[in-house]
Amino acid sequence: MGGNDVEHSHGMHVVHDGARQAPPLLLVHGSGASGGSWAPMVPALAGHRHVIRIDLPGCGHSPPAPPYDVPVQAARVAALLDDLGLRHITAAGHSSGGYVLTALAEQRPDLVGSLTLISTGPALDAFLPQPAVLRALLEPPLGPLLWPLRTDSMIRKAIRATAVRPVDVPDELVAGVRSISYRTFRAMDRQTTAYVAERSVPERLAALRLPLLVIFGAADPRWEPSSAHRYERVPDARVELLPGVGHLPLLEAPEATGELLLGFTAADAGAPPVLP
């Protein structure tokens, strides 16, 4: 398969971009989103990496497949990577997608060579009060009533509520979000909360000693931006805060985020990146 090839594996919709012989880069989206979250970054990344985007079960084009415990999700991703014959890959997760990748590294250290966390909250006490539009859409009692009535405009408004800069929301992402049921979203949200409540992410990663890049928006409205520095307890971790960026660096600052990601993964790729 060449660029922009699609397959289904272990109940997940998988999109491949870039040359298969290039160093692999796995991208995992957050809860309530899909692989379309990464769309603005893919063209630049695919020029230098074999980019693998997945829709987690119940998200985007992937059918529901409970349970949604973070370790179960990680095991599904591990099975996919085994089928692809990949080891020691570079991986990046946005928001709660970073929890799935952390769990993957805990379960299968042979599969993850380096890890990038983008807007991934380190612990529950760093979670901020959420914008009113999100509370209405995501939480009872209004959430279950409003969810099936969502229009494309409503979905875009909800996504933009966590951004600071004006963003163009890709149609691919809107379609992926629309396909998620309220029941699935709530189940995934409960399980990601349980995973972080059990043990903080920096504590988990400090034990793994993986090369780690953390990217946070300096104006993130979902997680206290200064909490990104908690990851500095992980040996050799690199923490980057993007000025004037909210929770969605993938959409708000795709060029800067892509350059950081390519630069960080260059050592694993065995050659310096050629930045766009």
Side-chain angles (χ1 to χ4, degrees), residues 68-99:
Y68 298 106
D69 307 56
V70 171
V72 173
Q73 299 277 52
R76 291 165 174 158
V77 176
L80 166 66
L81 295 176
D82 283 339
D83 280 359
L84 293 173
L86 298 176
R87 291 290 184 275
H88 301 291
I89 64 165
T90 59
H94 176 244
S95 195
S96 61
Y99 304 146

PDB file of all heavy atoms in Angstrom, residues 68-99:
ATOM      1  N   TYR A  68     -13.914  -0.143  27.303  1.00  0.00           N
ATOM      2  CA  TYR A  68     -13.027   0.910  26.859  1.00  0.00           C
ATOM      3  C   TYR A  68     -11.949   1.239  27.895  1.00  0.00           C
ATOM      4  O   TYR A  68     -11.391   2.340  27.877  1.00  0.00           O
ATOM      5  CB  TYR A  68     -13.842   2.160  26.528  1.00  0.00           C
ATOM      6  CG  TYR A  68     -14.827   1.927  25.401  1.00  0.00           C
ATOM      7  CD1 TYR A  68     -16.194   1.804  25.658  1.00  0.00           C
ATOM      8  CD2 TYR A  68     -14.394   1.788  24.095  1.00  0.00           C
ATOM      9  CE1 TYR A  68     -17.090   1.568  24.624  1.00  0.00           C
ATOM     10  CE2 TYR A  68     -15.273   1.547  23.056  1.00  0.00           C
ATOM     11  CZ  TYR A  68     -16.627   1.434  23.328  1.00  0.00           C
ATOM     12  OH  TYR A  68     -17.514   1.198  22.298  1.00  0.00           O
ATOM     13  N   ASP A  69     -11.646   0.297  28.762  1.00  0.00           N
ATOM     14  CA  ASP A  69     -10.553   0.497  29.708  1.00  0.00           C
ATOM     15  C   ASP A  69      -9.281   0.847  28.936  1.00  0.00           C
ATOM     16  O   ASP A  69      -9.000   0.264  27.878  1.00  0.00           O
ATOM     17  CB  ASP A  69     -10.290  -0.779  30.514  1.00  0.00           C
ATOM     18  CG  ASP A  69     -11.545  -1.326  31.175  1.00  0.00           C
ATOM     19  OD1 ASP A  69     -12.523  -1.582  30.432  1.00  0.00           O
ATOM     20  OD2 ASP A  69     -11.550  -1.514  32.392  1.00  0.00           O
ATOM     21  N   VAL A  70      -8.515   1.765  29.472  1.00  0.00           N
ATOM     22  CA  VAL A  70      -7.298   2.204  28.775  1.00  0.00           C
ATOM     23  C   VAL A  70      -6.349   1.035  28.493  1.00  0.00           C
ATOM     24  O   VAL A  70      -5.835   0.918  27.371  1.00  0.00           O
ATOM     25  CB  VAL A  70      -6.609   3.328  29.569  1.00  0.00           C
ATOM     26  CG1 VAL A  70      -5.238   3.646  28.984  1.00  0.00           C
ATOM     27  CG2 VAL A  70      -7.493   4.577  29.577  1.00  0.00           C
ATOM     28  N   PRO A  71      -6.090   0.133  29.439  1.00  0.00           N
ATOM     29  CA  PRO A  71      -5.213  -0.995  29.114  1.00  0.00           C
ATOM     30  C   PRO A  71      -5.774  -1.904  28.019  1.00  0.00           C
ATOM     31  O   PRO A  71      -5.011  -2.480  27.229  1.00  0.00           O
ATOM     32  CB  PRO A  71      -5.097  -1.745  30.448  1.00  0.00           C
ATOM     33  CG  PRO A  71      -5.358  -0.704  31.491  1.00  0.00           C
ATOM     34  CD  PRO A  71      -6.407   0.171  30.882  1.00  0.00           C
ATOM     35  N   VAL A  72      -7.103  -2.025  27.950  1.00  0.00           N
ATOM     36  CA  VAL A  72      -7.713  -2.828  26.881  1.00  0.00           C
ATOM     37  C   VAL A  72      -7.496  -2.153  25.532  1.00  0.00           C
ATOM     38  O   VAL A  72      -7.148  -2.817  24.533  1.00  0.00           O
ATOM     39  CB  VAL A  72      -9.215  -3.029  27.149  1.00  0.00           C
ATOM     40  CG1 VAL A  72      -9.897  -3.707  25.956  1.00  0.00           C
ATOM     41  CG2 VAL A  72      -9.430  -3.864  28.408  1.00  0.00           C
ATOM     42  N   GLN A  73      -7.684  -0.836  25.496  1.00  0.00           N
ATOM     43  CA  GLN A  73      -7.424  -0.099  24.251  1.00  0.00           C
ATOM     44  C   GLN A  73      -5.964  -0.258  23.827  1.00  0.00           C
ATOM     45  O   GLN A  73      -5.656  -0.453  22.642  1.00  0.00           O
ATOM     46  CB  GLN A  73      -7.749   1.390  24.444  1.00  0.00           C
ATOM     47  CG  GLN A  73      -9.196   1.687  24.809  1.00  0.00           C
ATOM     48  CD  GLN A  73     -10.097   1.729  23.592  1.00  0.00           C
ATOM     49  OE1 GLN A  73     -10.108   0.798  22.784  1.00  0.00           O
ATOM     50  NE2 GLN A  73     -10.859   2.796  23.453  1.00  0.00           N
ATOM     51  N   ALA A  74      -5.064  -0.184  24.801  1.00  0.00           N
ATOM     52  CA  ALA A  74      -3.640  -0.327  24.492  1.00  0.00           C
ATOM     53  C   ALA A  74      -3.341  -1.714  23.937  1.00  0.00           C
ATOM     54  O   ALA A  74      -2.528  -1.858  23.005  1.00  0.00           O
ATOM     55  CB  ALA A  74      -2.813  -0.076  25.749  1.00  0.00           C
ATOM     56  N   ALA A  75      -3.982  -2.731  24.467  1.00  0.00           N
ATOM     57  CA  ALA A  75      -3.756  -4.097  23.982  1.00  0.00           C
ATOM     58  C   ALA A  75      -4.221  -4.249  22.540  1.00  0.00           C
ATOM     59  O   ALA A  75      -3.606  -4.980  21.743  1.00  0.00           O
ATOM     60  CB  ALA A  75      -4.480  -5.094  24.890  1.00  0.00           C
ATOM     61  N   ARG A  76      -5.293  -3.545  22.180  1.00  0.00           N
ATOM     62  CA  ARG A  76      -5.765  -3.579  20.796  1.00  0.00           C
ATOM     63  C   ARG A  76      -4.748  -2.925  19.864  1.00  0.00           C
ATOM     64  O   ARG A  76      -4.487  -3.422  18.764  1.00  0.00           O
ATOM     65  CB  ARG A  76      -7.107  -2.863  20.695  1.00  0.00           C
ATOM     66  CG  ARG A  76      -8.247  -3.600  21.390  1.00  0.00           C
ATOM     67  CD  ARG A  76      -9.455  -2.704  21.576  1.00  0.00           C
ATOM     68  NE  ARG A  76     -10.591  -3.453  22.115  1.00  0.00           N
ATOM     69  CZ  ARG A  76     -11.616  -2.895  22.758  1.00  0.00           C
ATOM     70  NH1 ARG A  76     -11.630  -1.579  22.945  1.00  0.00           N
ATOM     71  NH2 ARG A  76     -12.610  -3.636  23.213  1.00  0.00           N
ATOM     72  N   VAL A  77      -4.178  -1.824  20.303  1.00  0.00           N
ATOM     73  CA  VAL A  77      -3.150  -1.163  19.491  1.00  0.00           C
ATOM     74  C   VAL A  77      -1.923  -2.059  19.370  1.00  0.00           C
ATOM     75  O   VAL A  77      -1.306  -2.154  18.298  1.00  0.00           O
ATOM     76  CB  VAL A  77      -2.781   0.202  20.099  1.00  0.00           C
ATOM     77  CG1 VAL A  77      -1.642   0.847  19.315  1.00  0.00           C
ATOM     78  CG2 VAL A  77      -3.990   1.134  20.120  1.00  0.00           C
ATOM     79  N   ALA A  78      -1.567  -2.747  20.445  1.00  0.00           N
ATOM     80  CA  ALA A  78      -0.422  -3.665  20.405  1.00  0.00           C
ATOM     81  C   ALA A  78      -0.648  -4.764  19.377  1.00  0.00           C
ATOM     82  O   ALA A  78       0.267  -5.121  18.612  1.00  0.00           O
ATOM     83  CB  ALA A  78      -0.187  -4.272  21.785  1.00  0.00           C
ATOM     84  N   ALA A  79      -1.869  -5.307  19.335  1.00  0.00           N
ATOM     85  CA  ALA A  79      -2.177  -6.360  18.373  1.00  0.00           C
ATOM     86  C   ALA A  79      -2.058  -5.841  16.943  1.00  0.00           C
ATOM     87  O   ALA A  79      -1.572  -6.548  16.040  1.00  0.00           O
ATOM     88  CB  ALA A  79      -3.578  -6.905  18.627  1.00  0.00           C
ATOM     89  N   LEU A  80      -2.475  -4.598  16.719  1.00  0.00           N
ATOM     90  CA  LEU A  80      -2.342  -3.994  15.399  1.00  0.00           C
ATOM     91  C   LEU A  80      -0.872  -3.869  15.008  1.00  0.00           C
ATOM     92  O   LEU A  80      -0.479  -4.224  13.886  1.00  0.00           O
ATOM     93  CB  LEU A  80      -3.004  -2.612  15.402  1.00  0.00           C
ATOM     94  CG  LEU A  80      -2.689  -1.697  14.217  1.00  0.00           C
ATOM     95  CD1 LEU A  80      -3.259  -2.268  12.937  1.00  0.00           C
ATOM     96  CD2 LEU A  80      -3.220  -0.291  14.473  1.00  0.00           C
ATOM     97  N   LEU A  81      -0.040  -3.372  15.911  1.00  0.00           N
ATOM     98  CA  LEU A  81       1.385  -3.205  15.609  1.00  0.00           C
ATOM     99  C   LEU A  81       2.055  -4.553  15.373  1.00  0.00           C
ATOM    100  O   LEU A  81       2.937  -4.677  14.518  1.00  0.00           O
ATOM    101  CB  LEU A  81       2.075  -2.451  16.744  1.00  0.00           C
ATOM    102  CG  LEU A  81       1.621  -1.000  16.942  1.00  0.00           C
ATOM    103  CD1 LEU A  81       2.305  -0.387  18.159  1.00  0.00           C
ATOM    104  CD2 LEU A  81       1.908  -0.161  15.697  1.00  0.00           C
ATOM    105  N   ASP A  82       1.636  -5.569  16.128  1.00  0.00           N
ATOM    106  CA  ASP A  82       2.169  -6.921  15.891  1.00  0.00           C
ATOM    107  C   ASP A  82       1.835  -7.389  14.480  1.00  0.00           C
ATOM    108  O   ASP A  82       2.677  -7.973  13.783  1.00  0.00           O
ATOM    109  CB  ASP A  82       1.602  -7.896  16.921  1.00  0.00           C
ATOM    110  CG  ASP A  82       2.268  -7.776  18.285  1.00  0.00           C
ATOM    111  OD1 ASP A  82       3.393  -7.253  18.364  1.00  0.00           O
ATOM    112  OD2 ASP A  82       1.659  -8.225  19.281  1.00  0.00           O
ATOM    113  N   ASP A  83       0.594  -7.134  14.051  1.00  0.00           N
ATOM    114  CA  ASP A  83       0.194  -7.536  12.702  1.00  0.00           C
ATOM    115  C   ASP A  83       1.008  -6.808  11.634  1.00  0.00           C
ATOM    116  O   ASP A  83       1.305  -7.373  10.572  1.00  0.00           O
ATOM    117  CB  ASP A  83      -1.292  -7.253  12.487  1.00  0.00           C
ATOM    118  CG  ASP A  83      -2.190  -8.315  13.099  1.00  0.00           C
ATOM    119  OD1 ASP A  83      -1.654  -9.285  13.678  1.00  0.00           O
ATOM    120  OD2 ASP A  83      -3.429  -8.171  13.017  1.00  0.00           O
ATOM    121  N   LEU A  84       1.366  -5.559  11.928  1.00  0.00           N
ATOM    122  CA  LEU A  84       2.155  -4.780  10.972  1.00  0.00           C
ATOM    123  C   LEU A  84       3.646  -5.105  11.051  1.00  0.00           C
ATOM    124  O   LEU A  84       4.431  -4.629  10.229  1.00  0.00           O
ATOM    125  CB  LEU A  84       1.949  -3.287  11.219  1.00  0.00           C
ATOM    126  CG  LEU A  84       0.551  -2.737  10.923  1.00  0.00           C
ATOM    127  CD1 LEU A  84       0.431  -1.280  11.375  1.00  0.00           C
ATOM    128  CD2 LEU A  84       0.214  -2.859   9.437  1.00  0.00           C
ATOM    129  N   GLY A  85       4.025  -5.902  12.050  1.00  0.00           N
ATOM    130  CA  GLY A  85       5.426  -6.286  12.206  1.00  0.00           C
ATOM    131  C   GLY A  85       6.312  -5.143  12.656  1.00  0.00           C
ATOM    132  O   GLY A  85       7.501  -5.105  12.325  1.00  0.00           O
ATOM    133  N   LEU A  86       5.757  -4.211  13.436  1.00  0.00           N
ATOM    134  CA  LEU A  86       6.509  -3.023  13.859  1.00  0.00           C
ATOM    135  C   LEU A  86       6.984  -3.157  15.293  1.00  0.00           C
ATOM    136  O   LEU A  86       6.278  -3.693  16.154  1.00  0.00           O
ATOM    137  CB  LEU A  86       5.629  -1.769  13.726  1.00  0.00           C
ATOM    138  CG  LEU A  86       5.165  -1.448  12.303  1.00  0.00           C
ATOM    139  CD1 LEU A  86       4.232  -0.247  12.305  1.00  0.00           C
ATOM    140  CD2 LEU A  86       6.363  -1.188  11.389  1.00  0.00           C
ATOM    141  N   ARG A  87       8.180  -2.624  15.568  1.00  0.00           N
ATOM    142  CA  ARG A  87       8.756  -2.618  16.909  1.00  0.00           C
ATOM    143  C   ARG A  87       9.451  -1.274  17.139  1.00  0.00           C
ATOM    144  O   ARG A  87       9.944  -0.643  16.214  1.00  0.00           O
ATOM    145  CB  ARG A  87       9.800  -3.744  17.076  1.00  0.00           C
ATOM    146  CG  ARG A  87       9.220  -5.156  17.075  1.00  0.00           C
ATOM    147  CD  ARG A  87       8.411  -5.403  18.348  1.00  0.00           C
ATOM    148  NE  ARG A  87       7.926  -6.781  18.424  1.00  0.00           N
ATOM    149  CZ  ARG A  87       6.799  -7.208  17.853  1.00  0.00           C
ATOM    150  NH1 ARG A  87       6.060  -6.362  17.158  1.00  0.00           N
ATOM    151  NH2 ARG A  87       6.422  -8.465  17.975  1.00  0.00           N
ATOM    152  N   HIS A  88       9.513  -0.871  18.384  1.00  0.00           N
ATOM    153  CA  HIS A  88      10.233   0.338  18.793  1.00  0.00           C
ATOM    154  C   HIS A  88       9.865   1.541  17.924  1.00  0.00           C
ATOM    155  O   HIS A  88      10.726   2.281  17.450  1.00  0.00           O
ATOM    156  CB  HIS A  88      11.745   0.092  18.751  1.00  0.00           C
ATOM    157  CG  HIS A  88      12.189  -1.028  19.647  1.00  0.00           C
ATOM    158  ND1 HIS A  88      12.154  -0.939  21.024  1.00  0.00           N
ATOM    159  CD2 HIS A  88      12.651  -2.270  19.361  1.00  0.00           C
ATOM    160  CE1 HIS A  88      12.579  -2.078  21.546  1.00  0.00           C
ATOM    161  NE2 HIS A  88      12.889  -2.895  20.579  1.00  0.00           N
ATOM    162  N   ILE A  89       8.573   1.733  17.744  1.00  0.00           N
ATOM    163  CA  ILE A  89       8.113   2.829  16.904  1.00  0.00           C
ATOM    164  C   ILE A  89       8.108   4.143  17.679  1.00  0.00           C
ATOM    165  O   ILE A  89       8.176   4.169  18.905  1.00  0.00           O
ATOM    166  CB  ILE A  89       6.690   2.571  16.377  1.00  0.00           C
ATOM    167  CG1 ILE A  89       5.699   2.523  17.555  1.00  0.00           C
ATOM    168  CG2 ILE A  89       6.627   1.305  15.558  1.00  0.00           C
ATOM    169  CD1 ILE A  89       4.262   2.644  17.118  1.00  0.00           C
ATOM    170  N   THR A  90       8.052   5.237  16.946  1.00  0.00           N
ATOM    171  CA  THR A  90       7.768   6.523  17.568  1.00  0.00           C
ATOM    172  C   THR A  90       6.256   6.686  17.576  1.00  0.00           C
ATOM    173  O   THR A  90       5.564   6.329  16.615  1.00  0.00           O
ATOM    174  CB  THR A  90       8.429   7.670  16.790  1.00  0.00           C
ATOM    175  OG1 THR A  90       7.946   7.675  15.444  1.00  0.00           O
ATOM    176  CG2 THR A  90       9.927   7.507  16.778  1.00  0.00           C
ATOM    177  N   ALA A  91       5.733   7.210  18.669  1.00  0.00           N
ATOM    178  CA  ALA A  91       4.282   7.308  18.830  1.00  0.00           C
ATOM    179  C   ALA A  91       3.936   8.645  19.450  1.00  0.00           C
ATOM    180  O   ALA A  91       4.659   9.163  20.307  1.00  0.00           O
ATOM    181  CB  ALA A  91       3.771   6.175  19.707  1.00  0.00           C
ATOM    182  N   ALA A  92       2.807   9.204  19.019  1.00  0.00           N
ATOM    183  CA  ALA A  92       2.341  10.480  19.561  1.00  0.00           C
ATOM    184  C   ALA A  92       0.855  10.377  19.856  1.00  0.00           C
ATOM    185  O   ALA A  92       0.084   9.843  19.052  1.00  0.00           O
ATOM    186  CB  ALA A  92       2.598  11.621  18.574  1.00  0.00           C
ATOM    187  N   GLY A  93       0.447  10.890  21.005  1.00  0.00           N
ATOM    188  CA  GLY A  93      -0.952  10.876  21.381  1.00  0.00           C
ATOM    189  C   GLY A  93      -1.417  12.265  21.772  1.00  0.00           C
ATOM    190  O   GLY A  93      -0.692  13.006  22.432  1.00  0.00           O
ATOM    191  N   HIS A  94      -2.628  12.600  21.354  1.00  0.00           N
ATOM    192  CA  HIS A  94      -3.223  13.872  21.750  1.00  0.00           C
ATOM    193  C   HIS A  94      -4.215  13.642  22.878  1.00  0.00           C
ATOM    194  O   HIS A  94      -5.037  12.727  22.818  1.00  0.00           O
ATOM    195  CB  HIS A  94      -3.950  14.526  20.576  1.00  0.00           C
ATOM    196  CG  HIS A  94      -4.663  15.797  20.959  1.00  0.00           C
ATOM    197  ND1 HIS A  94      -6.034  15.927  20.902  1.00  0.00           N
ATOM    198  CD2 HIS A  94      -4.192  16.982  21.436  1.00  0.00           C
ATOM    199  CE1 HIS A  94      -6.379  17.134  21.319  1.00  0.00           C
ATOM    200  NE2 HIS A  94      -5.282  17.791  21.640  1.00  0.00           N
ATOM    201  N   SER A  95      -4.124  14.453  23.919  1.00  0.00           N
ATOM    202  CA  SER A  95      -5.042  14.408  25.051  1.00  0.00           C
ATOM    203  C   SER A  95      -5.072  12.984  25.630  1.00  0.00           C
ATOM    204  O   SER A  95      -4.012  12.426  25.921  1.00  0.00           O
ATOM    205  CB  SER A  95      -6.424  14.893  24.611  1.00  0.00           C
ATOM    206  OG  SER A  95      -7.253  15.187  25.701  1.00  0.00           O
ATOM    207  N   SER A  96      -6.248  12.370  25.757  1.00  0.00           N
ATOM    208  CA  SER A  96      -6.304  11.035  26.367  1.00  0.00           C
ATOM    209  C   SER A  96      -5.696   9.958  25.484  1.00  0.00           C
ATOM    210  O   SER A  96      -5.441   8.842  25.953  1.00  0.00           O
ATOM    211  CB  SER A  96      -7.750  10.668  26.721  1.00  0.00           C
ATOM    212  OG  SER A  96      -8.565  10.640  25.570  1.00  0.00           O
ATOM    213  N   GLY A  97      -5.428  10.267  24.209  1.00  0.00           N
ATOM    214  CA  GLY A  97      -4.678   9.322  23.383  1.00  0.00           C
ATOM    215  C   GLY A  97      -3.309   9.055  23.964  1.00  0.00           C
ATOM    216  O   GLY A  97      -2.735   7.974  23.777  1.00  0.00           O
ATOM    217  N   GLY A  98      -2.775  10.031  24.712  1.00  0.00           N
ATOM    218  CA  GLY A  98      -1.501   9.831  25.393  1.00  0.00           C
ATOM    219  C   GLY A  98      -1.577   8.791  26.486  1.00  0.00           C
ATOM    220  O   GLY A  98      -0.583   8.114  26.782  1.00  0.00           O
ATOM    221  N   TYR A  99      -2.761   8.623  27.091  1.00  0.00           N
ATOM    222  CA  TYR A  99      -2.915   7.585  28.112  1.00  0.00           C
ATOM    223  C   TYR A  99      -2.866   6.193  27.479  1.00  0.00           C
ATOM    224  O   TYR A  99      -2.279   5.270  28.039  1.00  0.00           O
ATOM    225  CB  TYR A  99      -4.237   7.763  28.862  1.00  0.00           C
ATOM    226  CG  TYR A  99      -4.414   9.113  29.504  1.00  0.00           C
ATOM    227  CD1 TYR A  99      -5.669   9.711  29.590  1.00  0.00           C
ATOM    228  CD2 TYR A  99      -3.323   9.820  30.014  1.00  0.00           C
ATOM    229  CE1 TYR A  99      -5.834  10.962  30.170  1.00  0.00           C
ATOM    230  CE2 TYR A  99      -3.483  11.070  30.587  1.00  0.00           C
ATOM    231  CZ  TYR A  99      -4.740  11.635  30.664  1.00  0.00           C
ATOM    232  OH  TYR A  99      -4.901  12.867  31.237  1.00  0.00           O
TER     233      TYR A  99
END
